Short mmCIF file of all heavy atoms in Angstrom, two decimals:
data_model
loop_
_atom_site.label_atom_id
_atom_site.label_comp_id
_atom_site.label_asym_id
_atom_site.label_seq_id
_atom_site.Cartn_x
_atom_site.Cartn_y
_atom_site.Cartn_z
N ILE A 207 7.35 -21.70 -19.36
CA ILE A 207 6.07 -21.46 -18.68
C ILE A 207 5.45 -22.79 -18.30
O ILE A 207 5.32 -23.70 -19.14
CB ILE A 207 5.11 -20.67 -19.58
CG1 ILE A 207 5.70 -19.30 -19.90
CG2 ILE A 207 3.74 -20.52 -18.93
CD1 ILE A 207 4.86 -18.49 -20.86
N GLN A 209 2.43 -24.98 -17.74
CA GLN A 209 1.07 -24.90 -18.27
C GLN A 209 0.02 -24.88 -17.16
O GLN A 209 -0.99 -24.18 -17.27
CB GLN A 209 0.81 -26.08 -19.22
CG GLN A 209 1.69 -26.09 -20.46
CD GLN A 209 1.28 -25.03 -21.45
OE1 GLN A 209 0.12 -24.64 -21.51
NE2 GLN A 209 2.25 -24.55 -22.24
N ILE A 212 -0.96 -21.29 -15.64
CA ILE A 212 -1.40 -20.17 -16.47
C ILE A 212 -2.73 -19.61 -15.99
O ILE A 212 -2.88 -18.40 -15.77
CB ILE A 212 -1.47 -20.60 -17.94
CG1 ILE A 212 -0.07 -20.90 -18.47
CG2 ILE A 212 -2.12 -19.50 -18.78
CD1 ILE A 212 -0.06 -21.41 -19.90
N VAL A 213 -3.73 -20.48 -15.85
CA VAL A 213 -5.06 -20.01 -15.46
C VAL A 213 -5.02 -19.34 -14.08
O VAL A 213 -5.66 -18.30 -13.86
CB VAL A 213 -6.05 -21.19 -15.46
CG1 VAL A 213 -7.42 -20.74 -14.95
CG2 VAL A 213 -6.19 -21.77 -16.87
N VAL A 216 -3.40 -15.87 -14.51
CA VAL A 216 -4.29 -14.95 -15.23
C VAL A 216 -5.41 -14.48 -14.30
O VAL A 216 -5.77 -13.29 -14.29
CB VAL A 216 -4.86 -15.62 -16.49
CG1 VAL A 216 -5.94 -14.74 -17.11
CG2 VAL A 216 -3.75 -15.87 -17.50
N ILE A 220 -6.28 -10.60 -13.07
CA ILE A 220 -7.59 -9.95 -13.15
C ILE A 220 -7.98 -9.37 -11.80
O ILE A 220 -8.51 -8.25 -11.72
CB ILE A 220 -8.64 -10.95 -13.66
CG1 ILE A 220 -8.33 -11.34 -15.11
CG2 ILE A 220 -10.04 -10.37 -13.56
CD1 ILE A 220 -9.23 -12.44 -15.66
N LEU A 229 -7.26 -3.82 -19.99
CA LEU A 229 -6.50 -3.88 -21.23
C LEU A 229 -6.97 -4.98 -22.17
O LEU A 229 -6.64 -4.95 -23.35
CB LEU A 229 -5.01 -4.08 -20.94
CG LEU A 229 -4.36 -3.11 -19.95
CD1 LEU A 229 -2.89 -3.46 -19.77
CD2 LEU A 229 -4.52 -1.68 -20.40
N PHE A 230 -7.70 -5.98 -21.65
CA PHE A 230 -8.06 -7.15 -22.44
C PHE A 230 -9.53 -7.50 -22.22
O PHE A 230 -10.16 -7.02 -21.27
CB PHE A 230 -7.18 -8.35 -22.06
CG PHE A 230 -5.72 -8.04 -21.96
CD1 PHE A 230 -5.11 -7.83 -20.73
CD2 PHE A 230 -4.94 -7.95 -23.10
CE1 PHE A 230 -3.77 -7.54 -20.63
CE2 PHE A 230 -3.59 -7.66 -23.01
CZ PHE A 230 -3.00 -7.45 -21.78
N GLU A 231 -10.04 -8.35 -23.09
CA GLU A 231 -11.37 -8.93 -22.90
C GLU A 231 -11.25 -10.02 -21.85
O GLU A 231 -10.74 -11.11 -22.10
CB GLU A 231 -11.89 -9.51 -24.22
CG GLU A 231 -13.34 -9.92 -24.18
CD GLU A 231 -14.28 -8.74 -23.98
OE1 GLU A 231 -14.01 -7.66 -24.55
OE2 GLU A 231 -15.28 -8.90 -23.24
N ARG A 232 -11.71 -9.74 -20.65
CA ARG A 232 -11.39 -10.60 -19.50
C ARG A 232 -12.02 -11.99 -19.61
O ARG A 232 -11.45 -12.96 -19.11
CB ARG A 232 -11.83 -9.91 -18.21
CG ARG A 232 -11.09 -8.61 -17.98
CD ARG A 232 -11.28 -8.10 -16.58
NE ARG A 232 -10.41 -6.94 -16.32
CZ ARG A 232 -10.27 -6.37 -15.14
NH1 ARG A 232 -10.94 -6.83 -14.11
NH2 ARG A 232 -9.45 -5.34 -14.99
N ASN A 233 -13.18 -12.10 -20.21
CA ASN A 233 -13.82 -13.41 -20.31
C ASN A 233 -13.02 -14.37 -21.18
O ASN A 233 -12.99 -15.58 -20.93
CB ASN A 233 -15.24 -13.26 -20.87
CG ASN A 233 -16.15 -12.49 -19.94
OD1 ASN A 233 -15.95 -12.50 -18.71
ND2 ASN A 233 -17.13 -11.79 -20.48
N LYS A 234 -12.36 -13.86 -22.19
CA LYS A 234 -11.60 -14.70 -23.10
C LYS A 234 -10.11 -14.76 -22.76
O LYS A 234 -9.37 -15.51 -23.39
CB LYS A 234 -11.74 -14.19 -24.54
CG LYS A 234 -13.18 -14.14 -25.04
CD LYS A 234 -13.23 -13.85 -26.53
CE LYS A 234 -12.54 -12.57 -26.90
NZ LYS A 234 -12.60 -12.26 -28.35
N LEU A 235 -9.67 -13.97 -21.78
CA LEU A 235 -8.25 -13.85 -21.52
C LEU A 235 -7.58 -15.17 -21.12
O LEU A 235 -6.52 -15.51 -21.67
CB LEU A 235 -8.01 -12.78 -20.45
CG LEU A 235 -6.55 -12.43 -20.17
CD1 LEU A 235 -5.86 -11.93 -21.43
CD2 LEU A 235 -6.47 -11.37 -19.07
N PRO A 236 -8.14 -15.96 -20.18
CA PRO A 236 -7.45 -17.22 -19.82
C PRO A 236 -7.27 -18.16 -21.01
O PRO A 236 -6.18 -18.72 -21.20
CB PRO A 236 -8.37 -17.82 -18.75
CG PRO A 236 -9.11 -16.66 -18.18
CD PRO A 236 -9.32 -15.73 -19.33
N ASP A 237 -8.30 -18.31 -21.82
CA ASP A 237 -8.19 -19.21 -22.97
C ASP A 237 -7.18 -18.68 -23.98
O ASP A 237 -6.41 -19.47 -24.57
CB ASP A 237 -9.56 -19.38 -23.64
CG ASP A 237 -10.57 -20.08 -22.74
OD1 ASP A 237 -10.13 -20.82 -21.85
OD2 ASP A 237 -11.79 -19.88 -22.93
N ASP A 238 -7.17 -17.37 -24.20
CA ASP A 238 -6.22 -16.80 -25.16
C ASP A 238 -4.78 -17.03 -24.72
O ASP A 238 -3.90 -17.36 -25.55
CB ASP A 238 -6.48 -15.30 -25.33
CG ASP A 238 -7.79 -15.01 -26.03
OD1 ASP A 238 -8.35 -15.93 -26.66
OD2 ASP A 238 -8.27 -13.86 -25.94
N VAL A 239 -4.50 -16.88 -23.42
CA VAL A 239 -3.13 -17.07 -22.94
C VAL A 239 -2.73 -18.54 -23.01
O VAL A 239 -1.57 -18.88 -23.34
CB VAL A 239 -2.99 -16.52 -21.50
CG1 VAL A 239 -1.58 -16.76 -20.97
CG2 VAL A 239 -3.30 -15.03 -21.47
N VAL A 240 -3.66 -19.44 -22.72
CA VAL A 240 -3.36 -20.89 -22.81
C VAL A 240 -3.03 -21.27 -24.25
O VAL A 240 -2.06 -22.00 -24.52
CB VAL A 240 -4.55 -21.71 -22.27
CG1 VAL A 240 -4.36 -23.18 -22.61
CG2 VAL A 240 -4.68 -21.53 -20.77
N ILE A 241 -3.83 -20.77 -25.20
CA ILE A 241 -3.57 -21.07 -26.61
C ILE A 241 -2.20 -20.52 -27.03
O ILE A 241 -1.44 -21.18 -27.75
CB ILE A 241 -4.70 -20.48 -27.48
CG1 ILE A 241 -6.01 -21.21 -27.19
CG2 ILE A 241 -4.35 -20.57 -28.95
CD1 ILE A 241 -7.22 -20.58 -27.87
N TRP A 242 -1.88 -19.31 -26.59
CA TRP A 242 -0.58 -18.73 -26.93
C TRP A 242 0.56 -19.56 -26.35
O TRP A 242 1.57 -19.82 -27.03
CB TRP A 242 -0.50 -17.31 -26.41
CG TRP A 242 0.91 -16.80 -26.33
CD1 TRP A 242 1.69 -16.34 -27.34
CD2 TRP A 242 1.73 -16.77 -25.14
NE1 TRP A 242 2.94 -16.00 -26.87
CE2 TRP A 242 2.98 -16.26 -25.53
CE3 TRP A 242 1.51 -17.13 -23.81
CZ2 TRP A 242 4.01 -16.09 -24.61
CZ3 TRP A 242 2.53 -16.96 -22.90
CH2 TRP A 242 3.77 -16.45 -23.30
N ALA A 243 0.43 -19.99 -25.09
CA ALA A 243 1.51 -20.75 -24.46
C ALA A 243 1.74 -22.08 -25.17
O ALA A 243 2.89 -22.53 -25.31
CB ALA A 243 1.19 -20.98 -22.99
N ARG A 244 0.69 -22.71 -25.63
CA ARG A 244 0.83 -23.99 -26.33
C ARG A 244 1.45 -23.81 -27.71
O ARG A 244 2.08 -24.73 -28.24
CB ARG A 244 -0.52 -24.67 -26.45
CG ARG A 244 -1.07 -25.18 -25.11
CD ARG A 244 -2.47 -25.71 -25.25
NE ARG A 244 -2.98 -26.22 -23.96
CZ ARG A 244 -4.24 -26.60 -23.76
NH1 ARG A 244 -5.13 -26.52 -24.76
NH2 ARG A 244 -4.61 -27.04 -22.57
N SER A 245 1.28 -22.62 -28.29
CA SER A 245 1.83 -22.40 -29.63
C SER A 245 3.34 -22.25 -29.61
O SER A 245 4.00 -22.46 -30.64
CB SER A 245 1.20 -21.14 -30.25
OG SER A 245 1.64 -19.98 -29.56
N GLY A 246 3.92 -21.87 -28.48
CA GLY A 246 5.36 -21.74 -28.37
C GLY A 246 5.92 -20.49 -28.99
O GLY A 246 7.14 -20.38 -29.16
N ARG A 247 5.08 -19.52 -29.34
CA ARG A 247 5.58 -18.29 -29.93
C ARG A 247 6.29 -17.44 -28.88
O ARG A 247 5.92 -17.45 -27.70
CB ARG A 247 4.45 -17.46 -30.55
CG ARG A 247 3.71 -18.13 -31.66
CD ARG A 247 2.90 -17.12 -32.47
NE ARG A 247 2.23 -16.13 -31.66
CZ ARG A 247 0.99 -16.26 -31.17
NH1 ARG A 247 0.31 -17.37 -31.42
NH2 ARG A 247 0.45 -15.30 -30.47
N SER A 252 2.63 -9.64 -29.05
CA SER A 252 1.63 -10.30 -28.20
C SER A 252 2.29 -11.20 -27.17
O SER A 252 1.79 -11.34 -26.04
CB SER A 252 0.67 -11.10 -29.07
OG SER A 252 1.35 -12.12 -29.77
N SER A 253 3.41 -11.83 -27.51
CA SER A 253 4.12 -12.67 -26.54
C SER A 253 4.70 -11.83 -25.41
O SER A 253 4.69 -12.23 -24.25
CB SER A 253 5.24 -13.44 -27.24
OG SER A 253 4.72 -14.29 -28.24
N VAL A 255 3.46 -9.09 -24.24
CA VAL A 255 2.34 -8.72 -23.37
C VAL A 255 1.94 -9.89 -22.48
O VAL A 255 1.70 -9.72 -21.27
CB VAL A 255 1.16 -8.24 -24.23
CG1 VAL A 255 -0.10 -8.11 -23.38
CG2 VAL A 255 1.48 -6.92 -24.91
N ASN A 256 1.89 -11.10 -23.03
CA ASN A 256 1.48 -12.26 -22.24
C ASN A 256 2.50 -12.59 -21.16
O ASN A 256 2.12 -12.98 -20.04
CB ASN A 256 1.28 -13.46 -23.17
CG ASN A 256 0.02 -13.34 -24.01
OD1 ASN A 256 -0.96 -12.73 -23.59
ND2 ASN A 256 0.04 -13.91 -25.20
N TYR A 257 3.78 -12.47 -21.46
CA TYR A 257 4.79 -12.70 -20.42
C TYR A 257 4.64 -11.69 -19.27
O TYR A 257 4.76 -12.04 -18.09
CB TYR A 257 6.20 -12.61 -21.01
CG TYR A 257 6.74 -13.93 -21.50
CD1 TYR A 257 6.96 -14.17 -22.85
CD2 TYR A 257 7.05 -14.95 -20.59
CE1 TYR A 257 7.46 -15.38 -23.30
CE2 TYR A 257 7.55 -16.17 -21.03
CZ TYR A 257 7.75 -16.38 -22.39
OH TYR A 257 8.25 -17.58 -22.82
N LEU A 259 1.90 -10.11 -18.42
CA LEU A 259 0.65 -10.44 -17.72
C LEU A 259 0.89 -11.56 -16.72
O LEU A 259 0.45 -11.48 -15.56
CB LEU A 259 -0.39 -10.84 -18.76
CG LEU A 259 -1.83 -11.12 -18.32
CD1 LEU A 259 -2.76 -10.84 -19.50
CD2 LEU A 259 -2.02 -12.56 -17.89
N LEU A 260 1.59 -12.62 -17.13
CA LEU A 260 1.88 -13.73 -16.22
C LEU A 260 2.83 -13.30 -15.11
O LEU A 260 2.74 -13.80 -13.98
CB LEU A 260 2.48 -14.90 -17.01
CG LEU A 260 1.55 -15.59 -18.02
CD1 LEU A 260 2.30 -16.64 -18.81
CD2 LEU A 260 0.35 -16.21 -17.30
N GLN A 297 0.05 -1.58 -24.31
CA GLN A 297 -0.27 -2.56 -23.27
C GLN A 297 0.99 -3.03 -22.55
O GLN A 297 1.00 -3.17 -21.31
CB GLN A 297 -0.99 -3.75 -23.90
CG GLN A 297 -2.36 -3.43 -24.44
CD GLN A 297 -2.96 -4.58 -25.25
OE1 GLN A 297 -2.22 -5.43 -25.77
NE2 GLN A 297 -4.27 -4.61 -25.36
N GLU A 343 -15.86 -4.04 -31.28
CA GLU A 343 -15.13 -4.69 -30.20
C GLU A 343 -13.74 -4.09 -30.02
O GLU A 343 -13.33 -3.75 -28.91
CB GLU A 343 -15.02 -6.19 -30.48
CG GLU A 343 -14.33 -6.96 -29.36
CD GLU A 343 -14.34 -8.45 -29.60
OE1 GLU A 343 -15.09 -8.90 -30.48
OE2 GLU A 343 -13.58 -9.16 -28.92
N GLN A 347 -12.21 -1.74 -26.93
CA GLN A 347 -10.96 -2.06 -26.25
C GLN A 347 -10.00 -0.87 -26.25
O GLN A 347 -9.33 -0.60 -25.25
CB GLN A 347 -10.30 -3.27 -26.90
CG GLN A 347 -9.02 -3.71 -26.22
CD GLN A 347 -8.35 -4.88 -26.92
OE1 GLN A 347 -8.86 -5.37 -27.93
NE2 GLN A 347 -7.21 -5.31 -26.40
#
Side-chain angles (χ1 to χ4, degrees):
I207 298 176
Q209 296 287 332
I212 293 177
V213 175
V216 172
I220 294 174
L229 308 180
F230 314 100
E231 190 65 37
R232 297 193 172 187
N233 295 331
K234 302 189 303 181
L235 186 58
D237 295 336
D238 291 343
V239 178
V240 169
I241 294 173
W242 162 79
R244 290 174 179 172
S245 68
R247 298 196 319 269
S252 62
S253 299
V255 169
N256 287 330
Y257 269 113
L259 185 154
L260 293 175
Q297 292 171 338
E343 183 175 346
Q347 182 183 359

